[in-house]
Amino acid sequence: MSRAKSPDLRTGHANNAAEAEAPIVYEGRAPRAPAHLKATGRDIWRAVWQAGSGAYSPDTDRNLILRYAELYDRRADLLAAVEDDGLMTIGSTGQPVVNPALRYVESTEKELRAIETSIGFSPESRMRLGIVAAEARKVQAGPEDF
């Protein structure tokens, strides 16, 4: 009986994804956060550029990352409105209804998840894009941790 061939680790199988490194497409400083972003959006803008570690280009990825930061600002505003008004409000005929802002929170979060998938902010999308979480941990941890 012959043994099954071991999988070719260069084919992009998930068990090899941890060995691939994301290509460096930009080595300069992260672009300045756009002035119209609020505090949450500015924090997200900085965090995304930092997390990308050169994987994002200001020329090609700026608008996507800007949209992501703007959506986080929108989400923060909507959640603040829900916090102020409560989960339930009074409907047009006086009946209690779920705060309509929650529908917008839900749709905003759906858009956020779609962008997170495209920029590698989930384990699966990082594997697909070749971005290695282990590399990020190595930067924060000392050699004694590995």
Side-chain angles (χ1 to χ4, degrees):
M1 189 183 283
S2 66
R3 290 183 65 195
K5 290 172 88 176
S6 63
D8 182 357
L9 296 180
R10 292 170 288 163
T11 61
H13 292 308
N15 62 355
N16 188 40
E19 295 179 21
E21 289 188 35
I24 302 297
V25 296
Y26 179 72
E27 294 191 59
R29 291 176 51 108
R32 184 179 302 256
H36 73 278
L37 290 175
K38 298 175 185 174
T40 300
R42 282 192 308 272
D43 289 345
I44 292 296
W45 173 270
R46 290 183 193 112
V48 169
W49 286 103
Q50 182 178 11
S53 300
Y56 309 127
S57 166
D59 296 333
T60 58
D61 302 321
R62 177 185 198 89
N63 289 333
L64 180 66
I65 295 169
L66 176 59
R67 177 77 173 135
Y68 188 67
E70 289 169 340
L71 285 166
Y72 257 99
D73 273 343
R74 180 196 303 170
R75 180 180 180 272
D77 289 345
L78 288 165
L79 290 174
V82 170
E83 181 71 26
D84 290 345
D85 300 338
L87 292 175
M88 301 296 289
T89 62
I90 304 301
S92 61
T93 60
Q95 81 283 13
V97 296
V98 173
N99 190 325
L102 288 173
R103 256 184 283 143
Y104 296 110
V105 169
E106 203 172 281
S107 65
T108 299
E109 289 178 344
K110 183 177 181 181
E111 290 180 65
L112 285 167
R113 282 189 299 274
I115 294 173
E116 288 165 354
T117 298
S118 70
I119 62 177
F121 276 25
S122 72
E124 179 184 355
S125 63
R126 278 192 299 274
M127 279 195 294
R128 187 173 28 80
L129 296 170
I131 299 171
V132 183
E135 292 299 317
R137 287 194 305 273
K138 285 179 187 177
V139 170
Q140 294 177 349
E144 67 278 359
D145 293 330
F146 290 91

